Amino acid sequence: MGFENLVFGKQDAHQLLQQYGSPLYVYDEEILRLRCREMRNLLSYPRFRVNYSAKANTNVGLLKIIASEDLDVDGMSPGEMHLELMAGFLPHRITFIGNNVSVDEFRYAVERGILVSVDSISQLKTLGPVNRGGPVCLRINPGIGAGHHEKVVTGGKEVKFGIATEDLPWAQDIAAQYQMTITGLNQHIGSLFLEPDAYVDAAAFILQTAASLPTVEMVDLGGGFGIPYRHGVEPRLDLTELGTRLDTLINEWVERNRPLTIRTEPGRYVVAECGALLGTVTAVKENDNTVFVGTDIGFNTLVRPAMYDSYHEIDVAPGTERPYEEYRQPVYVVGNICESGDILVHDRVIPRCKEGDALIVHDAGAYGFSMASTYNSRPLPAEVLITSEGNVRLLRRAQTLEDLWW
Ligand code: LLP
C-alpha cells in the first residue's frame, strides 16, 4: 500500500484511465501465462489435465491465452460454454459442470459433444432422455469443505452441491436405465485454501470412491487453490508440497487399481493476480473523525469486498505531485452505489488521497468483472490487456448508456 503510478510496473495508471475510461480492468499476459504453467506443472503424474474454471473470468481474450497454454476448461452455463467455444476450445476440452440446470441447458452441451457432470439424482434423471447411451460425470459431495467464507464452501453437509456417496448405487441404476456410462467423478470442496490438508483429504476420498466404480476413467479433484490477497502477510500456497502429496496418492491408487486421468479445476489461481482494477477518487470527506475516500469503484464493479468482506490491496496513484503521507485515523474507501454496504476498504491505513487520484486495486482478475453488474444503471467498464510485449490491447470496450437499454 503506497503511492504507485505504474500498473504491473509497466503502464501509467492515469494514462490508461484517460484512454479507456474509469473504472477499468487491466490484465497482464505474462502473469496469466505464469499461473497457467504453475497449475499445469502441479503434478508430475502423466495423465494430468487442468480445467480452468471459467466462472472466475470469461473474457474471451484471456480464454484464448489460457487455451494456448494447453489448459482445458469447465463451463457452468450455456453462456460460459459459448464463450469457451468462441475462444477456440474444442468440445472435448470442455466439461459442463452445472447445478440445477434445465433440460435445454443439458441439450446445449450434449448436442455439441460436451461432457456433462450432474450433481443430483434429480439432474441425472433430467439428463437421461437427452443423453441416452452417452457418458456422464457425477459430482460427489465428499463431506469435506473449505473456503474463505461460508458462502464459498461447497463440500460438507448443508451445502447444495454434490451427490452423497450413499446415493451412488442409486445413481448407477438411473444411469443404466438410460444406458449412460459413468466415466468420471468430480468434486469441489470450496474456494480459497492456502493449506493443502483439506484438499489432499478430499482427493483421497474421491479416489477411494472411484475404486468401486469400474467405469470411471477420469477423476476431477476440484479447484479452490488460494492466492495471498494480503501481500507479504499470507504465505503462497505451497504447490510443491501439494503436488508431491497428490502425486503419491494418485500413483499408489493407479498401481492398485487401473489407469486414470486426473483433473483439477482452478479458477482464482489462474486469473486473480493477473488482474488489477483501476478507479478514480471522486470525493474525500471526514465524518466524525472517520475519513471516507469516495471513488467510482462501486460494488457493481467489484462485489467481493461487499459480498464476502474480502481484502484487496490497493495503491494510490497521485494525480498531483506531492510528498507521501498517510492518514492517522480510520479510513473507508467507498464506491458510488446507493447503499451503505458499498465499501471497498475498511478501516485501513492508506495514503492520503485527493480528488483526481487514481486507485489500483490488486488481485481483481478473478470474480471481478465476471461478477460485475449494471446496478444503479452504471455501464460495465472496459477490460484491457498488457501483452507480453508490453503493449496495451482493448479486450472489451466499456458499455455505453445506450447499451443499458437492451
Ligand atoms: N469448480 C467448481 C465446481 C466451482 O464451483 C468453482 C468455484 C471452481 C471450480 C473454481 O474455484 P476456485 O479455484 O476459483 O476457487 N465468487 C467467490 C468464489 C466463488 C467460487 C465458486 N465456485 C469469490 O470471489 O471468492
Coordinates of all heavy atoms in Angstrom, one line a residue, residues 320-403:
T320 N -1.6 14.6 -8.4 CA -0.8 15.8 -8.3 C 0.5 15.4 -7.6 O 0.6 14.5 -6.9 CB -1.5 16.8 -7.3 OG1 -1.8 16.1 -6.1 CG2 -2.8 17.4 -7.9
E321 N 1.5 16.2 -7.9 CA 2.8 15.9 -7.3 C 2.8 16.4 -5.9 O 2.5 17.5 -5.6 CB 3.9 16.6 -8.1 CG 4.5 15.6 -9.1 CD 5.9 15.9 -9.4 OE1 6.7 16.3 -8.6 OE2 6.2 15.6 -10.6
R322 N 3.1 15.5 -4.9 CA 3.1 15.9 -3.5 C 3.8 14.8 -2.7 O 3.9 13.7 -3.2 CB 1.7 16.1 -3.0 CG 0.8 14.9 -3.2 CD -0.6 15.2 -2.7 NE -1.4 13.9 -2.4 CZ -2.2 13.3 -3.3 NH1 -2.4 13.9 -4.5 NH2 -2.8 12.3 -3.0
P323 N 4.3 15.2 -1.5 CA 5.0 14.2 -0.7 C 4.1 13.1 -0.2 O 2.9 13.4 0.0 CB 5.6 15.0 0.4 CG 4.9 16.3 0.4 CD 4.3 16.5 -0.9
Y324 N 4.6 11.9 0.0 CA 3.8 10.8 0.5 C 3.4 11.1 2.0 O 4.2 11.5 2.8 CB 4.6 9.5 0.5 CG 3.8 8.3 1.0 CD1 2.9 7.7 0.2 CD2 4.0 7.8 2.3 CE1 2.2 6.6 0.6 CE2 3.3 6.7 2.7 CZ 2.4 6.1 1.9 OH 1.7 5.1 2.4
E325 N 2.1 10.8 2.3 CA 1.6 11.0 3.6 C 0.5 10.0 3.9 O -0.2 9.7 2.9 CB 1.0 12.4 3.7 CG 0.9 13.0 5.1 CD 0.1 14.3 5.1 OE1 0.0 14.9 4.0 OE2 -0.4 14.6 6.2
E326 N 0.4 9.5 5.1 CA -0.7 8.5 5.4 C -1.7 9.2 6.3 O -1.4 10.1 7.1 CB -0.1 7.3 6.1 CG 0.5 6.3 5.1 CD 1.2 5.2 5.8 OE1 1.3 5.2 7.1 OE2 1.7 4.3 5.1
Y327 N -3.0 8.7 6.3 CA -4.0 9.1 7.2 C -3.6 8.5 8.6 O -3.1 7.4 8.7 CB -5.3 8.5 6.8 CG -6.0 9.2 5.7 CD1 -6.0 8.6 4.4 CD2 -6.5 10.5 5.8 CE1 -6.6 9.2 3.3 CE2 -7.1 11.1 4.7 CZ -7.1 10.5 3.5 OH -7.7 11.1 2.4
R328 N -4.0 9.2 9.6 CA -3.7 8.7 11.0 C -5.0 8.3 11.7 O -5.0 7.9 12.8 CB -3.1 9.8 11.9 CG -1.7 10.1 11.5 CD -1.2 11.3 12.2 NE -0.1 11.9 11.3 CZ 1.1 11.5 11.3 NH1 1.5 10.6 12.1 NH2 2.0 12.1 10.6
Q329 N -6.1 8.3 11.0 CA -7.4 7.9 11.5 C -8.0 6.8 10.6 O -7.6 6.6 9.5 CB -8.3 9.1 11.7 CG -8.9 9.7 10.4 CD -8.3 11.0 10.1 OE1 -7.1 11.2 9.9 NE2 -9.2 12.0 10.2
P330 N -9.1 6.2 11.1 CA -9.8 5.2 10.3 C -10.2 5.7 8.9 O -10.8 6.8 8.8 CB -11.0 4.8 11.1 CG -10.8 5.3 12.5 CD -9.8 6.4 12.4
V331 N -10.0 4.9 7.9 CA -10.3 5.3 6.5 C -11.2 4.2 5.9 O -10.9 3.1 6.1 CB -9.1 5.5 5.7 CG1 -9.5 5.9 4.2 CG2 -8.2 6.6 6.2
Y332 N -12.3 4.7 5.3 CA -13.1 3.8 4.5 C -13.0 4.2 3.0 O -13.1 5.4 2.7 CB -14.6 3.9 4.9 CG -14.9 3.2 6.2 CD1 -14.4 3.6 7.4 CD2 -15.7 2.1 6.1 CE1 -14.7 3.0 8.5 CE2 -16.0 1.4 7.3 CZ -15.5 1.8 8.5 OH -15.8 1.2 9.7
V333 N -12.7 3.3 2.2 CA -12.7 3.6 0.7 C -14.0 3.1 0.2 O -14.3 1.9 0.4 CB -11.5 3.0 -0.1 CG1 -11.6 3.4 -1.5 CG2 -10.2 3.5 0.6
V334 N -14.8 3.9 -0.3 CA -16.2 3.6 -0.7 C -16.5 3.9 -2.1 O -15.8 4.6 -2.8 CB -17.2 4.3 0.3 CG1 -17.1 3.8 1.7 CG2 -17.0 5.8 0.2
G335 N -17.6 3.3 -2.6 CA -18.0 3.5 -4.0 C -19.1 4.5 -4.3 O -19.4 5.3 -3.4
N336 N -19.7 4.4 -5.4 CA -20.7 5.4 -5.9 C -22.1 4.7 -6.0 O -22.9 5.2 -6.8 CB -20.3 5.9 -7.2 CG -19.9 4.8 -8.2 OD1 -20.1 3.6 -7.9 ND2 -19.5 5.2 -9.4
I337 N -22.3 3.7 -5.2 CA -23.6 3.0 -5.2 C -24.4 3.4 -4.0 O -23.9 3.7 -3.0 CB -23.3 1.4 -5.2 CG1 -22.6 1.0 -6.5 CG2 -24.6 0.6 -4.9 CD1 -23.5 1.2 -7.7
C338 N -25.7 3.4 -4.2 CA -26.6 4.0 -3.2 C -26.9 3.0 -2.1 O -28.1 2.6 -1.9 CB -27.9 4.3 -4.0 SG -28.6 5.8 -3.4
E339 N -25.9 2.5 -1.5 CA -26.0 1.5 -0.4 C -24.9 1.7 0.6 O -23.7 1.9 0.1 CB -26.0 0.1 -0.8 CG -27.2 -0.3 -1.7 CD -27.5 -1.8 -1.7 OE1 -27.2 -2.5 -0.8 OE2 -28.1 -2.2 -2.7
S340 N -25.2 1.7 1.9 CA -24.0 1.9 2.8 C -23.1 0.8 2.9 O -22.0 0.9 3.4 CB -24.6 2.3 4.2 OG -25.7 1.5 4.5
G341 N -23.5 -0.4 2.4 CA -22.5 -1.5 2.3 C -21.5 -1.4 1.2 O -20.8 -2.4 1.0
D342 N -21.6 -0.3 0.5 CA -20.7 -0.2 -0.7 C -19.3 0.2 -0.3 O -18.9 1.4 -0.5 CB -21.4 0.8 -1.7 CG -20.6 1.0 -2.9 OD1 -19.9 0.1 -3.3 OD2 -20.7 2.1 -3.6
I343 N -18.6 -0.7 0.3 CA -17.3 -0.4 0.9 C -16.2 -1.3 0.3 O -16.4 -2.5 0.3 CB -17.4 -0.7 2.5 CG1 -18.4 0.3 3.1 CG2 -16.0 -0.5 3.1 CD1 -18.7 -0.1 4.6
L344 N -15.2 -0.6 -0.2 CA -14.1 -1.4 -0.8 C -13.0 -1.7 0.2 O -12.4 -2.8 0.2 CB -13.5 -0.5 -2.0 CG -12.4 -1.0 -2.8 CD1 -12.9 -2.2 -3.6 CD2 -11.9 0.1 -3.8
V345 N -12.7 -0.7 1.1 CA -11.7 -0.9 2.0 C -12.2 -0.4 3.4 O -12.7 0.7 3.5 CB -10.4 -0.1 1.6 CG1 -9.4 0.0 2.8 CG2 -9.7 -0.7 0.4
H346 N -12.0 -1.3 4.4 CA -12.5 -1.0 5.8 C -11.4 -0.5 6.6 O -10.4 -1.2 6.7 CB -12.9 -2.3 6.4 CG -14.3 -2.6 6.4 ND1 -15.2 -2.2 7.3 CD2 -15.0 -3.4 5.5 CE1 -16.4 -2.6 7.0 NE2 -16.3 -3.4 6.0
D347 N -11.4 0.6 7.2 CA -10.6 0.9 8.4 C -9.2 0.4 8.2 O -8.6 -0.4 9.0 CB -11.3 0.1 9.6 CG -10.8 0.7 10.9 OD1 -10.1 1.7 10.8 OD2 -11.2 0.2 11.9
R348 N -8.5 1.0 7.2 CA -7.1 0.6 6.9 C -6.2 1.8 6.8 O -6.7 2.9 6.5 CB -7.1 -0.1 5.5 CG -6.1 -1.2 5.4 CD -6.1 -1.8 4.0 NE -7.2 -2.6 3.6 CZ -7.3 -3.1 2.4 NH1 -6.4 -2.8 1.4 NH2 -8.4 -3.8 2.1
V349 N -5.0 1.7 7.1 CA -4.0 2.8 7.0 C -3.7 2.9 5.5 O -3.2 1.9 4.9 CB -2.7 2.5 7.7 CG1 -1.7 3.6 7.5 CG2 -3.0 2.4 9.2
I350 N -4.1 4.0 4.9 CA -3.8 4.2 3.5 C -3.2 5.6 3.2 O -3.3 6.4 4.1 CB -5.1 4.0 2.6 CG1 -6.0 5.1 2.8 CG2 -5.7 2.7 2.8 CD1 -7.0 5.3 1.6
P351 N -2.6 5.8 2.1 CA -2.0 7.1 1.8 C -3.1 8.1 1.7 O -4.3 7.8 1.3 CB -1.4 6.9 0.4 CG -1.3 5.5 0.2 CD -2.4 4.8 1.0
R352 N -2.8 9.4 2.1 CA -3.8 10.5 2.0 C -4.1 10.7 0.5 O -3.3 10.7 -0.3 CB -3.1 11.7 2.6 CG -4.0 12.8 2.9 CD -3.3 13.9 3.7 NE -3.3 13.5 5.2 CZ -4.3 13.7 6.0 NH1 -5.5 14.2 5.6 NH2 -4.2 13.4 7.3
C353 N -5.4 10.7 0.3 CA -6.0 10.8 -1.1 C -6.5 12.2 -1.4 O -7.0 12.9 -0.5 CB -7.1 9.8 -1.3 SG -6.6 8.1 -1.2
K354 N -6.5 12.5 -2.7 CA -7.1 13.8 -3.2 C -8.0 13.4 -4.3 O -7.7 12.4 -5.0 CB -6.0 14.7 -3.6 CG -5.3 15.4 -2.5 CD -4.8 16.8 -3.0 CE -4.5 17.7 -1.9 NZ -3.2 17.8 -1.4
E355 N -9.0 14.3 -4.6 CA -9.8 14.1 -5.7 C -8.9 14.0 -7.0 O -8.0 14.8 -7.1 CB -10.8 15.2 -5.9 CG -11.8 15.4 -4.8 CD -11.3 16.1 -3.6 OE1 -10.1 16.5 -3.5 OE2 -12.1 16.4 -2.7
G356 N -9.2 13.1 -7.9 CA -8.4 13.0 -9.1 C -7.3 12.0 -9.0 O -6.7 11.7 -10.0
D357 N -7.0 11.5 -7.8 CA -6.0 10.4 -7.7 C -6.6 9.2 -8.4 O -7.8 9.0 -8.4 CB -5.7 10.1 -6.2 CG -4.9 11.2 -5.5 OD1 -4.4 12.1 -6.2 OD2 -4.8 11.1 -4.3
A358 N -5.7 8.3 -8.8 CA -6.2 7.0 -9.3 C -5.9 5.9 -8.2 O -5.0 6.1 -7.4 CB -5.5 6.6 -10.6
L359 N -6.8 4.9 -8.2 CA -6.6 3.8 -7.3 C -6.3 2.5 -8.1 O -6.8 2.3 -9.2 CB -7.8 3.5 -6.4 CG -8.2 4.6 -5.4 CD1 -9.5 4.1 -4.7 CD2 -7.1 4.9 -4.5
I360 N -5.3 1.7 -7.6 CA -5.1 0.4 -8.2 C -5.5 -0.6 -7.2 O -4.8 -0.8 -6.2 CB -3.6 0.3 -8.6 CG1 -3.1 1.5 -9.4 CG2 -3.3 -1.0 -9.3 CD1 -1.6 1.5 -9.7
V361 N -6.5 -1.4 -7.5 CA -6.9 -2.5 -6.7 C -6.3 -3.8 -7.2 O -6.5 -4.1 -8.4 CB -8.5 -2.6 -6.7 CG1 -8.9 -3.7 -5.7 CG2 -9.1 -1.2 -6.3
H362 N -5.6 -4.4 -6.3 CA -4.8 -5.6 -6.8 C -5.6 -6.9 -6.8 O -6.6 -7.0 -6.0 CB -3.6 -5.8 -6.0 CG -2.6 -4.6 -6.2 ND1 -1.7 -4.6 -7.3 CD2 -2.4 -3.5 -5.5 CE1 -1.1 -3.5 -7.2 NE2 -1.4 -2.8 -6.2
D363 N -5.2 -7.9 -7.5 CA -5.7 -9.3 -7.5 C -7.2 -9.3 -7.8 O -8.0 -10.0 -7.1 CB -5.5 -9.9 -6.1 CG -4.0 -9.8 -5.7 OD1 -3.1 -10.1 -6.6 OD2 -3.7 -9.5 -4.5
A364 N -7.6 -8.5 -8.8 CA -9.0 -8.4 -9.1 C -9.4 -9.1 -10.3 O -10.5 -9.0 -10.8 CB -9.3 -6.9 -9.3
G365 N -8.5 -10.0 -10.8 CA -8.8 -10.7 -12.1 C -9.8 -11.8 -11.9 O -10.4 -12.2 -12.9
A366 N -9.9 -12.4 -10.7 CA -10.9 -13.5 -10.5 C -12.1 -13.0 -9.8 O -12.0 -12.3 -8.8 CB -10.2 -14.6 -9.7
Y367 N -13.3 -13.3 -10.3 CA -14.6 -12.9 -9.7 C -14.7 -11.4 -9.6 O -15.3 -10.9 -8.7 CB -14.7 -13.6 -8.4 CG -14.6 -15.1 -8.5 CD1 -13.5 -15.8 -7.9 CD2 -15.5 -15.9 -9.1 CE1 -13.3 -17.2 -8.1 CE2 -15.3 -17.3 -9.3 CZ -14.2 -17.9 -8.8 OH -14.1 -19.2 -8.9
G368 N -14.0 -10.7 -10.5 CA -14.1 -9.2 -10.5 C -15.1 -8.9 -11.6 O -16.3 -8.8 -11.3
F369 N -14.6 -8.8 -12.8 CA -15.6 -8.4 -13.9 C -16.7 -9.5 -14.1 O -17.8 -9.1 -14.3 CB -14.8 -8.3 -15.3 CG -15.6 -7.8 -16.4 CD1 -15.6 -6.4 -16.7 CD2 -16.5 -8.6 -17.1 CE1 -16.4 -5.9 -17.7 CE2 -17.3 -8.1 -18.1 CZ -17.3 -6.7 -18.4
S370 N -16.3 -10.7 -13.8 CA -17.3 -11.8 -14.0 C -18.5 -11.7 -13.1 O -19.6 -12.2 -13.3 CB -16.7 -13.2 -14.0 OG -16.3 -13.5 -12.7
M371 N -18.3 -11.0 -11.9 CA -19.4 -10.8 -11.0 C -19.9 -9.3 -11.1 O -20.8 -8.9 -10.2 CB -19.0 -11.1 -9.6 CG -18.7 -12.6 -9.4 SD -18.2 -13.0 -7.7 CE -19.8 -13.0 -6.8
A372 N -19.4 -8.5 -12.0 CA -19.9 -7.1 -12.0 C -21.3 -7.0 -12.6 O -21.8 -7.9 -13.3 CB -18.9 -6.4 -12.9
S373 N -22.0 -6.0 -12.2 CA -23.3 -5.8 -12.7 C -23.5 -4.3 -13.1 O -22.6 -3.5 -13.0 CB -24.3 -6.1 -11.6 OG -24.3 -5.1 -10.6
T374 N -24.7 -4.1 -13.6 CA -25.1 -2.7 -14.0 C -26.0 -2.0 -13.0 O -26.8 -1.2 -13.3 CB -25.7 -2.6 -15.4 OG1 -26.9 -3.5 -15.3 CG2 -24.8 -3.1 -16.5
Y375 N -25.9 -2.5 -11.7 CA -26.7 -1.9 -10.6 C -26.5 -0.4 -10.6 O -25.4 0.1 -10.8 CB -26.2 -2.5 -9.3 CG -27.1 -2.2 -8.1 CD1 -28.5 -2.1 -8.2 CD2 -26.5 -1.8 -6.9 CE1 -29.2 -1.7 -7.1 CE2 -27.3 -1.5 -5.8 CZ -28.6 -1.4 -5.9 OH -29.4 -1.1 -4.8
N376 N -27.6 0.2 -10.3 CA -27.7 1.7 -10.3 C -27.5 2.2 -11.8 O -27.1 3.4 -12.0 CB -26.7 2.4 -9.4 CG -27.1 2.4 -8.0 OD1 -26.5 3.1 -7.1 ND2 -28.2 1.7 -7.6
S377 N -27.7 1.3 -12.7 CA -27.6 1.6 -14.2 C -26.3 2.3 -14.5 O -26.2 3.3 -15.2 CB -28.7 2.5 -14.6 OG -29.9 1.8 -14.6
R378 N -25.2 1.6 -14.0 CA -23.9 2.1 -14.3 C -23.3 1.1 -15.3 O -23.3 -0.1 -15.1 CB -23.0 2.1 -13.1 CG -23.4 3.2 -12.1 CD -22.4 3.4 -11.0 NE -22.8 4.5 -10.2 CZ -22.8 5.8 -10.5 NH1 -22.2 6.2 -11.6 NH2 -23.2 6.7 -9.7
P379 N -22.9 1.5 -16.5 CA -22.4 0.6 -17.5 C -21.2 -0.2 -17.1 O -20.4 0.3 -16.2 CB -22.0 1.6 -18.7 CG -22.7 2.8 -18.4 CD -22.9 2.9 -16.9
L380 N -21.0 -1.3 -17.6 CA -19.8 -2.2 -17.3 C -18.5 -1.5 -17.8 O -18.5 -0.9 -18.9 CB -19.9 -3.6 -17.9 CG -21.1 -4.4 -17.3 CD1 -21.3 -5.7 -18.1 CD2 -20.8 -4.8 -15.8
P381 N -17.4 -1.6 -17.1 CA -16.2 -1.0 -17.5 C -15.5 -1.7 -18.6 O -15.8 -2.9 -18.9 CB -15.3 -1.0 -16.2 CG -15.8 -2.3 -15.5 CD -17.3 -2.4 -15.8
A382 N -14.5 -1.1 -19.2 CA -13.7 -1.8 -20.3 C -12.7 -2.7 -19.6 O -12.4 -2.6 -18.4 CB -12.9 -0.7 -21.1
E383 N -12.2 -3.6 -20.4 CA -11.1 -4.5 -20.0 C -9.9 -4.4 -21.0 O -10.2 -4.5 -22.2 CB -11.6 -6.0 -19.9 CG -12.7 -6.2 -18.9 CD -13.2 -7.6 -18.9 OE1 -13.9 -8.0 -19.8 OE2 -12.7 -8.4 -18.1
V384 N -8.7 -4.2 -20.5 CA -7.6 -4.2 -21.4 C -6.5 -5.1 -21.0 O -6.5 -5.5 -19.8 CB -7.0 -2.7 -21.5 CG1 -7.9 -1.7 -22.1 CG2 -6.4 -2.3 -20.2
L385 N -5.6 -5.5 -21.9 CA -4.5 -6.4 -21.6 C -3.2 -5.8 -21.9 O -3.0 -5.1 -22.9 CB -4.7 -7.6 -22.6 CG -3.6 -8.7 -22.5 CD1 -3.8 -9.5 -21.2 CD2 -3.6 -9.7 -23.7
I386 N -2.3 -5.9 -20.9 CA -0.9 -5.5 -21.2 C -0.2 -6.8 -21.8 O -0.1 -7.8 -21.1 CB -0.2 -5.1 -20.0 CG1 -0.9 -3.9 -19.3 CG2 1.3 -4.7 -20.3 CD1 -0.3 -3.3 -18.0
T387 N 0.1 -6.8 -23.0 CA 0.6 -8.0 -23.7 C 2.0 -8.3 -23.2 O 2.7 -7.4 -22.6 CB 0.7 -7.9 -25.2 OG1 1.6 -6.8 -25.5 CG2 -0.7 -7.5 -25.8
S388 N 2.5 -9.5 -23.5 CA 3.9 -9.9 -23.1 C 4.9 -8.9 -23.7 O 6.0 -8.8 -23.2 CB 4.2 -11.3 -23.6 OG 3.3 -12.2 -23.0
E389 N 4.6 -8.3 -24.8 CA 5.5 -7.3 -25.4 C 5.4 -6.0 -24.8 O 6.1 -5.0 -25.2 CB 5.2 -7.2 -27.0 CG 5.4 -8.4 -27.8 CD 4.3 -9.5 -27.6 OE1 3.2 -9.1 -27.5 OE2 4.7 -10.7 -27.6
G390 N 4.4 -5.8 -23.9 CA 4.3 -4.5 -23.2 C 3.3 -3.6 -23.8 O 3.2 -2.4 -23.4
N391 N 2.6 -4.0 -24.8 CA 1.6 -3.1 -25.5 C 0.2 -3.3 -24.8 O 0.0 -4.3 -24.1 CB 1.4 -3.5 -26.9 CG 2.7 -3.5 -27.7 OD1 3.5 -2.6 -27.5 ND2 2.9 -4.5 -28.5
V392 N -0.6 -2.3 -24.9 CA -1.9 -2.3 -24.3 C -3.0 -2.6 -25.4 O -3.0 -2.0 -26.5 CB -2.3 -1.0 -23.6 CG1 -3.7 -1.1 -23.0 CG2 -1.2 -0.7 -22.6
R393 N -3.8 -3.6 -25.2 CA -4.8 -4.0 -26.2 C -6.2 -4.0 -25.5 O -6.4 -4.6 -24.4 CB -4.5 -5.5 -26.7 CG -5.3 -5.9 -27.8 CD -4.5 -6.9 -28.7 NE -4.2 -8.2 -28.0 CZ -5.1 -9.2 -27.8 NH1 -6.3 -9.1 -28.3 NH2 -4.7 -10.3 -27.2
L394 N -7.1 -3.5 -26.2 CA -8.5 -3.5 -25.7 C -9.1 -4.9 -25.8 O -9.2 -5.4 -26.9 CB -9.4 -2.4 -26.4 CG -10.8 -2.3 -26.0 CD1 -10.9 -1.7 -24.6 CD2 -11.6 -1.4 -27.0
L395 N -9.6 -5.4 -24.7 CA -10.2 -6.8 -24.8 C -11.7 -6.6 -24.9 O -12.4 -7.5 -25.5 CB -9.8 -7.6 -23.6 CG -8.4 -8.1 -23.4 CD1 -8.3 -8.9 -22.2 CD2 -7.9 -8.8 -24.6
R396 N -12.3 -5.7 -24.2 CA -13.7 -5.4 -24.3 C -13.9 -4.0 -24.0 O -13.4 -3.4 -23.0 CB -14.4 -6.3 -23.2 CG -15.9 -6.2 -23.3 CD -16.6 -6.8 -22.0 NE -16.1 -7.9 -21.4 CZ -16.6 -9.1 -21.4 NH1 -17.8 -9.3 -22.0 NH2 -16.1 -10.1 -20.7
R397 N -14.7 -3.3 -24.8 CA -15.0 -1.9 -24.7 C -15.9 -1.7 -23.5 O -16.7 -2.6 -23.1 CB -15.6 -1.3 -25.9 CG -17.0 -1.8 -26.2 CD -17.7 -0.8 -27.2 NE -19.0 -1.4 -27.7 CZ -20.1 -1.3 -27.0 NH1 -20.1 -0.8 -25.8 NH2 -21.2 -1.8 -27.5
A398 N -15.9 -0.5 -22.9 CA -16.8 -0.2 -21.8 C -18.2 -0.1 -22.4 O -18.4 0.2 -23.6 CB -16.5 1.2 -21.2
Q399 N -19.2 -0.5 -21.6 CA -20.6 -0.3 -22.1 C -20.9 1.2 -22.2 O -20.3 2.0 -21.5 CB -21.6 -0.9 -21.1 CG -21.7 -2.4 -21.3 CD -22.9 -2.9 -20.4 OE1 -23.2 -2.4 -19.3 NE2 -23.5 -4.0 -20.9
T400 N -21.8 1.5 -23.1 CA -22.3 2.9 -23.2 C -23.7 3.0 -22.5 O -24.3 2.0 -22.2 CB -22.4 3.3 -24.6 OG1 -23.4 2.5 -25.2 CG2 -21.1 3.1 -25.4
L401 N -24.2 4.2 -22.4 CA -25.5 4.4 -21.8 C -26.5 3.7 -22.7 O -27.5 3.1 -22.2 CB -25.9 5.9 -21.7 CG -25.1 6.6 -20.6 CD1 -25.5 8.1 -20.5 CD2 -25.2 6.0 -19.2
E402 N -26.3 3.7 -24.0 CA -27.2 3.1 -25.0 C -27.3 1.6 -24.7 O -28.4 0.9 -24.8 CB -26.8 3.3 -26.4 CG -27.1 4.7 -26.9 CD -26.2 5.7 -26.3 OE1 -25.1 5.5 -26.0 OE2 -26.8 6.9 -26.1
D403 N -26.2 1.0 -24.3 CA -26.2 -0.5 -24.0 C -27.1 -0.9 -22.9 O -27.5 -2.0 -22.8 CB -24.7 -1.0 -23.7 CG -23.8 -0.9 -24.8 OD1 -24.2 -1.1 -26.0 OD2 -22.6 -0.6 -24.6

